[in-house]
Structure formats: structure tokens, C-alpha cells
Amino acid sequence: MSKVSPWKSEACKLESVPLDFGDYHPLKPITVTESKTKKMNRKGSTSSTSSSSSSSLMDPLSSVLDGTDPLSLFAAAADPVTTAPPTDGARRKRDKDESSAVGSDFEPWSSKRGEILARYTTTEKLSIVSGGCLPSAVSEKVRTRLEELDDLEEGSQKELLNLTQQDYMNRIEELNQSLKDAWSSDQKVKALKIVIQCSKLLSDTTVIQFYPSKFVLITDILDTFGKLVYERILSMCVDNRVSLPDNFSPESVNDTAKETCLNWFFKIASIRELIPRFYVEAAILKCNKFLSKTGISECLPRLTSMIRGIGDPLVAVYARAYLCRVGMEVAPQLKESLNKNFFDFLLTFKQIHGDTVQNQLVVQCVEIPLYLTLYSPAIDWILQCIAYHAPDVLLTEMMERCKKLGNNALLLNSVMSAFRAEFIAARSMDFIGMIKECDESGFPKHLLFRSLGLNLALADPPENDRLQILNEAWKVITKLKNPQDYVNCAEVWVEYTCRHFTKREVNTVLADVIKHMTPDRAFEDAYPQEKFLPFLDMFQKESVRVEVCKCIMESFIKHQQESTKDPVILNALLHICKTMHDSVNALTLEDEKRMLAALINGFIKMVSFGRDFEQQLSFYVEARSMFCNLEPVLVQLIHSVNQLAMETRRVMKGNHSRKTAAFVRACVAFCFITIPSLSNIFTRLNLYLHSGQVALANQCLSQADAFFKAAVSLVPEVPKMISIDGKMRPSDAFLLEFLCNFFSTLLVVPDHPEQGVLFLVRGLLNVIQDYTWEDNSDDKVRIYTNVLHLLSAMTQEAFIYHVDKVDSNDTLYGGDSKFLAEINKLSETVVSQILDHLKTLGKEETLKRQSQLALYFFNTILAHGDLRNNRLNQLSVNLWNLAQKHGFADTKTMVKTLEYIKRRSKQPEMSHFSDLALRLPLQSRT
């Protein structure tokens, strides 16, 4: 049985407040009078419902509504004759209310349960015990119903004693599963018995520090039961395979479903103990929707008043929390009941300090500060429900009520946890005043300042109050002796300080953290003015220190809007990046390496010394020495140095002085000596090409030659297969792409005076010739075809593009006949290589490849060759015929190509294309 609170002292009495139910109080003796209701013709029922009793008998099943017992009450409520139809205005208002729902901005209970289970634990032994006897003065009919719902078998009780916390949780989970199994096997009475037994456990506070976790576990079972009952009744409402809509009305519920629903409420009304009767009815509160539109709004105040009969204040507050939970789920618009629920709690708040509670804590050896924290989850939840979308006037009223209760720290902390951050932040100084006046014996003030700080991390206080707020908070925080208490508060207010103040205030706060968190402050005098690095040194475990460094770098990259050159910041962040880099070893996963490299690269990009380019290069040189084990960082440094050289060129407008010329050569040298240390061969090839282009743009011709030579010499080392995202893939496509880009650059590279004509092109062709290509690959021919594009462009009197202030071969040779002869000679060699390859494709299985390559080569000649040359003209005709010889040519492509030739023939000086068109027949596949 639940305890009836023995209020002995005058100080613990309830204040006198008007009640909604006349003179009713749940502890008041009940007079049961005769009540007759209309006989109901329900399917499967032949009995009428009535009650009569002597006025002297205290019937535990009786209710207080109109003096009727609960069974009669439900029967009357279900009678369509006795239910008056609501007015149109009331109906419209109720329909509007029922359409409102809790939004995604409301933090659900599911997000809190894990934290509660993790926080409220115990090492003491727990028990799951059921018991109780029937009162003698009950009728035989009532006795039969109660016995049906009585405790589980005696034999099972012995197995549920002296359980560890984990065993207890496992047993609760077993009960939850047993409930589902019983329900699925149509043992509804057994399911109800399980729920009743579980609900009874919520009256047991023998291991009081575990009570919040017990509440979470038991209410999980109640939630399951409530859902099963509701879905069962809902399934009975299916008519012609059409289920009820979400916003159904009771009129659309059939008699069978209503009768089943009533029977569930009748069974629950027969539970003799207050706590299980309250919880089980609250669990199926939503089922009132099947009976009456006003059922939920009528039940909530009654259930709220029932809680007044629970004597233990901790048990009562969690009952209120559960009622708020189901209330927010089924009727979030009924805020009046939620508010009344909390105000009832405030009226009984003095019980917490009463003799009964104090004696209980002495027996269990629990201190009052620990005991008060047990209330936090329940009060926080109740206040969150009340504060959701509540107007400021209601929140202000809550503050005033807290003040009237002497600024109780427990309540104040819950108010700051539940109310909107903007509301708290705007009244920060008011809350600080209330915190100052709190009694610190039961609930430490530093926890209140932590809750205030958490709100200020989400919303900004008035600007004029910010410094005073920090001073008031830190006065309390700095006096904390326990390191854990101190750091729990300091971590919140460090963020506040960083957001609103300068480096000086941040240093002051960090200095205080070091002072508290370093046990033997022997080396305190050796600390420099900058307090950040000593703060990091307190994290001795490497894995923890690396995680801290990652968090700092993520925050810096996210929030740092402008580049920086502050030596203090650079020193600190270099230290952090070095810590992350040095954590890399042979066992570090590739994903971890990529993440660390990305953080370090983010920092490198944010460093800028403005026009002091030499200092910028020095920083990159230092970074290279510090981060040599992370290849993506070295790649970023090469790109950054190349960008620095191009920025120097932009500032000088391409006209380098002796000093800037020496500087860009230093940048080029940095890249040239860094690239060989990279392992990825295509990264090296592309960086050689990129850096060579930068050197060329800055008139560093010999350095550019060195880059291009290095690239040429590296091509033979390209493996046949390379790893891409952890998978091995052929490298041919990547090599082809690189070489095409390389040819485009070689057009503007001037010949070295001591190396001969086209020395880089010849060297690259030799490498391509010697490279071992796959047997089924035609990439070699495609590369040679691109070489012809390059050689064709080199025969022009003026190249189609140039590098500023660099004389390319068109200027150096000026269209000299010997130079053109060399190009023609080289072209003939390349063409012969292509034709030789086409001959090798004459086998039946390679004829399709031969056709495609022949047409590709034909189009190259068409675009880049002089078809007035008879030999070239004849070659193009031969390629055209070869492309369609074996029937593998794409007819549409051939037709469009021929149409293009005919259009070109109509242009000036292109009349020779007419003759060519006549020599290009279209062969039918048939």
C-alpha cells in the first residue's frame, strides 16, 4: 500500500488552497450512495451496471465524481443519452486544440532516459517483491475481481530478492518481454497483472539513489502496455478494411471497441492500491479518445488530484512527471492540468525537509545534497513541459513562486534547465541575485552557475551585464576545492569568456584553471604569460590530448573568420598541430590520417603575413619540417608556396626585381626538393607539371626545364595498377590525362640553347615508346595522336597562346625552315607508329578497335593537317575506308563527318575539301 504522508509539524502542513472538486480530497472518507444507470445493450454483455451500498462502508473502488463508483461512472459516460452534445463553439475550439501537437523543438523523453540510467546507479542489492492482503469488508464480487488481479505466485517472489543492479535491469527487461508474450498469446489478464506488479515497485524507495533509474525502467513497461491496449482497441475499429483516421471522433467508434475500452478502465478501477491504479490508468489515458471527446481533459485533473494521496514526495514527483509525459503525448494543449500538477508539487515541497524523509535518509545513509539531485530529472521534465511554447508571463510567474519558496536551489536549477535559453540570458542578473540568496546546504551553488552558463552558451545576455556576470560566476567557481566540481563549471564558463571577451580575460580564466587542475604547482612561476599551452599539458594521456587538440583545431577552423599572423596564436596552434602529427604511427588508420591532415591544412590556409612574403615562406619551411609524415600536408605546402610565387608575380606585375626574382627561385627550390618525398606517383607528376608552369610564369626557365625533365623521367615508373580509394584500378587513363596536359604546356616551353630542337618533346616520345602498354590498350595511339596536335600547333607562325614575358619557339625560330623540317620529320615518325599499330589490329577480334582508331586518326588529320598535300589527302581517304571496311563504323558519325566536310568546302580557300568529299564513299553495312 502507498504511504499516507504523516504531516506532524505545523511547518509541513499544506497551504490552504481552493480545489476544483468542491470539498473533495483524496484522503477524505468517501460516502457511497446508490446510483442507477441505464442498462446498456452491448454486444456480448447481458448484465446491467448498478451500485448500492451502506453509507457507512468505505468502498476502495469508489470515486468522488458525483458520489458514484468508477464502474457506474464509465457506464454513464458511455451512454449516448446522458452525454450532452457540445455547442458548435465549444466543438470548434476543441477540434482546434486537438489539432495542436508537440513539435520537433521539444526534447523527447527518449533522449533523457539514457542519461538518467547512466547517472543514477547503485551497488546495493535490489528486490522485486509483491504482496498485500484483501480488506475483509468487501463484497464477494469485488473480492473475486481483486483476486484475479492479485500478486504473482509466491514461488516466483523468492527468485527476485537480492539482485544486483544489472540483474534487476535484466529482470525488468524480462518482464517487459513477458508482457509482450502474454499479450501476443491473448493472455490479457496476465499482461495486466505484470503491469500492476511492476507499477507497485514504484512505491518502493528502499534503495533511494536508484529510484530515478527504476522509474525509467518501469515506465518503459507502462508505455508498452499503453501502446498495446490502444492499438488493440484501434484494430477493433476497422470497418470494411478501412481503419479510423488519426483525428477520429468517438461517434465513429463501434460498440465492440467501446465495450472493450470500458472493460479495460473497469479492470484498472478495481486495482486496490493507489500507485498502480494511478500509473496503469495514466498509461492508457489515450484510450479515452474512444469513449468521449472530453474524456482526457476530464481525467487529467482527477489523476493530478490522485497524486496528492502519495505520501513520499519523491514517489509523488515522479508520478507527476509520468502524468506530464502522457499528457504531452495525448493532449499537449491542456497546459492548465500541467501547471496545476506543478503548483501542487510546490505546495507539498516542504515535505522534503520533513521528519519522515529525514529519518528515511538517515536509515539509508544518504546525504541531503545527493537526495535532492534525485528530484532533478522529474522536476526538469515537468518544467520543460510547462515551459514549452509558454509565454514569458508564465515563466516570470514561475520565477516569483521560486522566490516565495526561498529561492530553493533545486527548483531554481530546474527552472534554468527547462526554460528557454533566451529567457534565462535576458534575466541573467536576476538569476544571479536569486542564486546568491539560495541556501547552499542542500544544493551547491556552483551547479546553479553551471546551469546558468549552459544557457549563456546558447543565448547572449545584455551586453552591459556580460562582465559583471562573469565576475559573479567566477567568484564562486574559483573557490571550489574539488577538482571535478571545478572543471565541470569552468568548462562551461571558458566558452562564455571566449565568446565575449579578449585574450586577456581568456588568459586569466585559463591561468585559474591551471592553478586548480595542477596538483603541485611547483613550476607555476615558470609559466609564460600565455596560459594556453600549459593548460593543454594537463592532459597527460596521449589519446585524450590528441582528441582535445582535434576539438580545438575544428573550432578554430570553424570560427576563425580572418587569416592571422599573431605569434602567440601561431605558436599555440603549431604546438597543437605538432601534437596531432606526432600521434601518427604505422597503426594509424588512413581515415584518421586524412582527418588530421585536413585539420592541419585548415590551419596552414589561415596563416597570412600579408606582404611579408619572406616570413610566409619561412613559416612554410618550418611547417614542412614539422609535418613531414603526413603527405596531404606536404602537398598543401607545395600548393601554398606556388601560390606565394604567383602572388609575388602579381604584386610585381610580372616585372621581377633582383630581390623578387631570387625569392621566387627560392619558392621554386622549395617545391623541387619537396616533391620527391611524396609516395603517390601521380601526385608527384602533377606537382612537377604545376610547379614547372609556375616557374615558367615567373621567368625561371632553367628551373622550369628541371621540373619538366623530372616529370619525363618519372613516367616510366608509373605502375600498371594504382590504388584509388582503397581499390586497385588501371593507371592508363590517369597517365593519358596527365600527358595531354603536359603536351599543352610543352607548346610554350622554349628550347634550351644547348639541348637541341624539341628536346623535351623527343624525350617524352622516347619514354612513351619504351613504356610497356597493356596488350588490349590503344592509349599509346591516342597519345601519339595528341602529339600530332602539339606538332601541328608548333608549325604556326604565332602560337595560339603564350606565357607573358617568355619567348616560345615561334619567336625563337621565327618559322625557320629547318625547324619546320624537324617538326615534319618527327610527325612522320609518329604517323608511322600509329599506322603500324593499326596494322596489328587486323585480326577479327580487334577489328572494331581498328575502325574506331582509324576514324579518330582521320578526324585528327581533318582538324590539324594540310589536306592539299597529296600524301596526307590519300592517307585520310585510306583511313576513311579502313574505318568502315568491316562494318564496325558508326553510320551516324560517318554521315555527320561527311556533312561537316561539305560545309567546310564552301568556305574561302577550302575548295579542296570538295574533292575530298567526292573520294569519301559511305558504304552500306549490307
Side-chain angles (χ1 to χ4, degrees):
M1 296 289 288
S2 61
K3 296 181 183 177
V4 175
S5 180
W7 293 309
K8 295 181 180 179
S9 65
E10 200 65 24
C12 293
K13 286 184 179 178
L14 285 172
E15 297 179 23
S16 177
V17 292
L19 298 176
D20 294 342
F21 300 98
D23 295 328
Y24 162 65
H25 188 281
L27 303 184
K28 179 181 177 182
I30 299 168
T31 301
V32 182
T33 58
E34 183 176 29
S35 173
K36 296 183 179 179
T37 60
K38 181 180 177 181
K39 181 175 179 178
M40 302 183 66
N41 296 320
R42 297 189 304 246
K43 182 179 180 181
S45 175
T46 58
S47 62
S48 62
T49 306
S50 64
S51 66
S52 61
S53 175
S54 166
S55 62
S56 62
L57 178 62
M58 295 174 59
D59 187 344
L61 303 182
S62 299
S63 179
V64 296
L65 299 177
D66 303 325
T68 61
D69 72 279
L71 309 188
S72 302
L73 175 69
F74 283 123
D79 192 341
V81 177
T82 59
T83 305
T87 64
D88 288 344
R91 183 183 292 110
R92 282 196 299 269
K93 180 178 184 300
R94 189 162 62 246
D95 290 346
K96 179 182 177 183
D97 287 344
E98 289 183 356
S99 67
S100 61
V102 175
S104 58
D105 55 338
F106 183 81
E107 185 181 5
W109 174 258
S110 58
S111 67
K112 297 178 179 291
R113 66 181 301 283
E115 180 185 348
I116 296 172
L117 290 172
R119 180 179 177 187
Y120 298 96
T121 59
T122 182
T123 56
E124 295 187 31
K125 297 296 182 181
L126 300 159
S127 301
I128 298 180
V129 183
S130 58
C133 57
L134 292 173
S136 57
V138 293
S139 67
E140 187 63 31
K141 184 177 180 180
V142 172
R143 175 182 291 274
T144 301
R145 180 177 288 128
L146 294 178
E147 286 174 347
E148 186 184 53
L149 302 176
D150 207 353
D151 306 327
L152 296 173
E153 292 80 2
E154 183 69 26
S156 64
Q157 294 181 18
K158 297 175 183 177
E159 299 173 7
L160 308 180
L161 302 175
N162 299 321
L163 303 175
T164 65
Q165 178 179 321
Q166 188 59 50
D167 292 338
Y168 188 93
M169 295 173 70
N170 293 341
R171 177 56 183 160
I172 293 295
E173 180 56 37
E174 289 173 12
L175 287 171
N176 201 352
Q177 188 59 46
S178 298
L179 168 65
K180 296 175 184 176
D181 294 341
W183 191 272
S184 62
S185 59
D186 207 28
Q187 300 180 63
K188 303 297 190 293
V189 172
K190 181 180 178 182
L192 181 58
K193 287 167 67 177
I194 292 172
V195 175
I196 293 170
Q197 293 304 317
C198 291
S199 302
K200 287 181 180 181
L201 298 175
L202 291 173
S203 62
D204 176 25
T205 58
T206 50
V207 185
I208 202 163
Q209 63 268 33
F210 184 65
Y211 192 85
S213 291
K214 181 197 289 188
F215 171 80
V216 169
L217 297 170
I218 300 300
T219 53
D220 282 350
I221 296 177
L222 287 162
D223 293 342
T224 300
F225 175 72
K227 184 177 180 182
L228 290 171
V229 173
Y230 183 83
E231 290 179 350
R232 163 69 174 155
I233 299 171
L234 187 64
S235 69
M236 299 173 71
C237 300
V238 176
D239 188 18
N240 295 326
R241 296 187 178 180
V242 177
S243 58
L244 289 178
D246 292 339
N247 57 345
F248 67 87
S249 63
E251 289 79 11
S252 58
V253 179
N254 60 47
D255 288 345
T256 304
K258 283 186 176 180
E259 180 183 14
T260 303
C261 185
L262 280 167
N263 281 338
W264 276 111
F265 280 111
F266 294 163
K267 284 186 176 70
I268 292 167
S270 302
I271 300 172
R272 70 181 184 281
E273 294 186 28
L274 173 61
I275 288 177
R277 188 165 72 248
F278 163 80
Y279 272 106
V280 180
E281 182 177 351
I284 68 164
L285 180 66
K286 188 177 181 181
C287 293
N288 279 282
K289 290 174 62 178
F290 297 108
L291 301 176
S292 166
K293 282 191 175 182
T294 60
I296 293 175
S297 60
E298 291 169 357
C299 285
L300 273 174
R302 177 171 57 79
L303 290 171
T304 300
S305 298
M306 282 176 66
I307 300 173
R308 295 176 179 173
I310 300 176
D312 190 306
L314 184 65
V315 177
V317 77
Y318 276 93
R320 297 186 190 282
Y322 187 68
L323 190 57
C324 285
R325 263 181 60 191
V326 294
M328 286 299 286
E329 289 174 11
V330 302
Q333 72 279 1
L334 299 177
K335 283 294 186 70
E336 297 82 2
S337 294
L338 299 180
N339 297 345
K340 182 177 182 295
N341 195 352
F342 183 67
F343 293 152
D344 273 6
F345 165 71
L346 292 181
L347 293 176
T348 61
F349 192 72
K350 295 176 183 177
Q351 279 185 268
I352 292 177
H353 302 287
D355 292 343
T356 303
V357 172
Q358 298 300 322
N359 292 339
Q360 184 184 20
L361 298 183
V362 169
V363 171
Q364 296 198 37
C365 300
V366 175
E367 299 292 333
I368 191 68
L370 173 60
Y371 175 68
L372 290 178
T373 62
L374 303 179
Y375 284 80
S376 293
I379 300 175
D380 289 353
W381 176 258
I382 295 170
L383 282 171
Q384 178 186 323
C385 296
I386 292 173
Y388 181 65
H389 289 179
D392 281 5
V393 62
L394 176 63
L395 304 185
T396 305
E397 181 185 354
M398 292 291 177
M399 286 181 64
E400 293 303 319
R401 286 181 176 259
C402 287
K403 288 180 182 178
K404 287 180 181 178
L405 285 171
N407 291 323
N408 181 274
L410 175 63
L411 285 177
L412 191 55
N413 189 67
S414 293
V415 165
M416 288 190 289
S417 298
F419 287 6
R420 296 191 306 274
E422 296 80 8
F423 178 88
I424 304 296
R427 297 161 177 78
S428 297
M429 291 308 300
D430 291 340
F431 277 98
I432 285 177
M434 295 169 70
I435 291 172
K436 283 182 173 180
E437 297 175 10
C438 281
D439 179 11
E440 199 172 11
S441 59
F443 199 95
K445 284 185 180 179
H446 68 83
L447 294 181
L448 298 175
F449 275 107
R450 186 180 192 278
S451 296
L452 178 60
L454 289 172
N455 280 285
L456 297 182
L458 300 174
D460 296 334
E463 190 170 352
N464 295 336
D465 294 341
R466 290 174 185 174
L467 183 58
Q468 187 178 356
I469 291 170
L470 178 61
N471 289 335
E472 294 290 348
W474 211 261
K475 266 192 255 179
V476 174
I477 296 170
T478 193
K479 292 178 183 177
L480 295 173
K481 303 297 183 187
N482 184 297
Q484 192 61 49
D485 291 342
Y486 175 85
V487 80
N488 285 342
C489 285
E491 66 176 352
V492 175
W493 286 90
V494 165
E495 181 176 350
Y496 173 81
T497 310
C498 292
R499 281 181 61 178
H500 297 299
F501 299 99
T502 65
K503 186 175 70 176
R504 185 175 68 86
E505 287 83 5
V506 174
N507 265 336
T508 301
V509 169
L510 289 180
D512 194 65
V513 173
I514 294 167
K515 176 182 174 183
H516 279 79
M517 301 306 295
T518 308
D520 57 349
R521 296 165 4 229
F523 52 90
E524 185 181 46
D525 295 337
Y527 283 160
Q529 184 180 357
E530 167 57 42
K531 304 297 181 183
F532 190 62
L533 298 184
F535 175 69
L536 283 181
D537 288 341
M538 290 188 295
F539 299 96
Q540 297 294 317
K541 191 175 180 181
E542 183 187 8
S543 59
V544 175
R545 186 164 64 250
V546 171
E547 286 301 317
V548 171
C549 291
K550 285 159 63 175
C551 290
I552 293 169
M553 287 310 304
E554 286 171 358
S555 180
F556 174 79
I557 293 169
K558 180 180 179 181
H559 297 292
Q560 182 71 20
Q561 300 296 324
E562 300 175 353
S563 56
T564 181
K565 62 176 181 179
D566 187 303
V568 176
I569 294 176
L570 295 187
N571 182 49
L573 295 185
L574 275 172
H575 175 80
I576 290 171
C577 290
K578 179 66 172 170
T579 301
M580 294 192 298
H581 170 270
D582 291 351
S583 69
V584 174
N585 55 46
L587 299 178
T588 305
L589 298 175
E590 289 301 318
D591 284 347
E592 177 72 6
K593 289 180 182 179
R594 275 194 291 270
M595 183 172 65
L596 293 176
L599 292 174
I600 296 173
N601 285 343
F603 161 63
I604 289 171
K605 293 175 186 176
M606 293 301 299
V607 177
S608 174
F609 290 89
R611 287 292 185 91
D612 191 348
F613 292 167
E614 291 183 354
Q615 184 66 32
Q616 189 81 35
L617 182 59
S618 297
F619 168 76
Y620 292 143
V621 171
E622 182 182 4
R624 181 178 61 185
S625 65
M626 296 177 72
F627 310 127
C628 56
N629 290 333
L630 286 173
E631 191 161 302
V633 178
L634 296 179
V635 172
Q636 177 60 48
L637 288 171
I638 293 168
H639 284 306
S640 297
V641 170
N642 278 330
Q643 186 178 1
L644 185 62
M646 294 304 292
E647 180 66 14
T648 306
R649 178 183 182 276
R650 187 189 65 80
V651 171
M652 300 302 294
K653 297 180 180 177
N655 299 309
H656 282 299
S657 64
R658 180 179 297 179
K659 182 178 180 181
T660 60
F663 176 75
V664 294
R665 284 196 295 272
C667 292
V668 168
F670 175 98
C671 298
F672 193 75
I673 63 175
T674 307
I675 293 173
S677 64
L678 304 176
S679 62
N680 187 295
I681 193 163
F682 279 104
T683 301
R684 275 186 281 162
L685 282 172
N686 286 310
L687 284 175
Y688 274 135
L689 178 58
H690 184 106
S691 301
Q693 292 166 345
V694 170
L696 201 61
N698 284 282
Q699 300 114 55
C700 302
L701 301 183
S702 60
Q703 287 85 352
D705 278 349
F707 279 116
F708 297 141
K709 285 180 181 178
V712 170
S713 63
L714 191 58
V715 168
E717 298 179 22
V718 174
K720 296 295 175 290
M721 304 290 288
I722 56 173
S723 176
I724 304 293
D725 294 331
K727 296 181 179 179
M728 300 304 294
R729 301 184 186 278
S731 63
D732 292 359
F734 297 95
L735 183 56
L736 179 62
E737 181 185 8
F738 166 75
L739 290 174
C740 289
N741 291 333
F742 200 180
F743 295 146
S744 300
T745 302
L746 290 179
L747 175 64
V748 294
V749 177
D751 280 346
H752 194 286
E754 299 175 2
Q755 299 288 344
V757 179
L758 304 179
F759 75 101
L760 282 173
V761 177
R762 292 176 186 277
L764 188 55
L765 284 172
N766 290 334
V767 167
I768 295 169
Q769 176 66 27
D770 295 337
Y771 188 80
T772 305
W773 300 90
E774 295 291 335
D775 292 337
N776 60 347
S777 171
D778 297 319
D779 288 332
K780 183 176 182 179
V781 172
R782 297 183 185 278
I783 291 170
Y784 279 147
T785 308
N786 278 279
V787 171
L788 290 178
H789 299 170
L790 169 62
L791 295 174
S792 173
M794 284 183 166
T795 63
Q796 308 300 313
E797 292 184 8
F799 293 168
I800 55 177
Y801 51 83
H802 293 85
V803 175
D804 188 33
K805 295 182 175 56
V806 173
D807 291 332
S808 298
N809 285 342
D810 56 343
T811 303
L812 294 179
Y813 295 109
D816 182 73
S817 58
K818 291 182 179 180
F819 174 65
L820 295 177
E822 287 291 333
I823 293 177
N824 287 332
K825 185 178 178 182
L826 200 56
S827 299
E828 289 178 1
T829 304
V830 173
V831 169
S832 66
Q833 291 282 341
I834 296 173
L835 295 177
D836 287 344
H837 184 81
L838 284 173
K839 288 177 183 177
T840 65
L841 299 177
K843 301 174 185 177
E844 185 176 352
E845 65 271 13
T846 56
L847 289 176
K848 186 174 182 179
R849 288 166 54 194
Q850 184 188 60
S851 173
Q852 292 171 339
L853 284 178
L855 185 58
Y856 182 63
F857 189 22
F858 171 85
N859 287 327
T860 295
I861 296 174
L862 191 65
H864 299 280
D866 184 0
L867 290 173
R868 288 170 294 194
N869 182 297
N870 291 332
R871 289 177 60 196
L872 205 56
N873 193 298
Q874 184 59 47
L875 175 60
S876 64
V877 173
N878 293 342
L879 289 169
W880 177 270
N881 292 329
L882 181 62
Q884 55 186 345
K885 180 178 180 181
H886 300 287
F888 288 102
D890 185 347
T891 305
K892 287 184 179 180
T893 303
M894 304 292 282
V895 170
K896 288 182 179 180
T897 304
L898 192 55
E899 289 175 352
Y900 165 77
I901 295 171
K902 292 176 180 178
R903 286 198 304 271
R904 287 288 304 273
S905 69
K906 297 176 182 179
Q907 295 176 358
E909 300 181 2
M910 290 292 176
S911 59
H912 60 283
F913 269 47
S914 299
D915 296 334
L916 176 64
L918 295 174
R919 300 177 63 193
L920 301 178
L922 282 173
Q923 295 179 5
S924 171
R925 288 196 178 188
T926 59

